Amino acid sequence: MNKSYALALSLLFGIGAAQAAKPCEELKSEIAAKLDAKGVKAYTLEIVANDKVGEAKVVGSCDGGSNKITYERK
């Protein structure tokens, strides 16, 4: 794992509960911008219902906490 990838993920995990109230598409765009700015390539962000997360890496919570944004590196 390179340093920019690890740093980007650590920043995403620190987004906090205040982000949960944001609309999912808005938060997803913000997360993508942060990843792109850190030089992270070949990833997928997906909006999923809380009960559909499974083992995916959660990087955000949105729509009042009813959905999560998951990250997958390709």
Side-chain angles (χ1 to χ4, degrees):
M1 180 182 317
N2 66 37
K3 286 184 179 182
S4 65
Y5 172 71
L7 177 62
L9 283 181
S10 67
L11 289 173
L12 291 174
F13 288 125
I15 288 175
Q19 301 290 330
K22 283 196 176 190
C24 288
E25 287 298 332
E26 180 182 344
L27 183 57
K28 182 179 173 184
S29 294
E30 290 176 9
I31 293 170
K34 288 179 184 182
L35 288 170
D36 293 344
K38 295 293 179 186
V40 178
K41 305 281 187 214
Y43 66 88
T44 302
L45 296 174
E46 187 175 346
I47 299 167
V48 297
N50 287 341
D51 61 343
K52 304 290 184 201
V53 171
E55 294 184 24
K57 186 170 296 242
V58 175
V59 294
S61 180
C62 52
D63 287 346
S66 62
N67 292 314
K68 302 286 189 237
I69 298 176
T70 61
Y71 169 91
E72 181 182 353
R73 192 160 185 183
K74 295 180 186 177

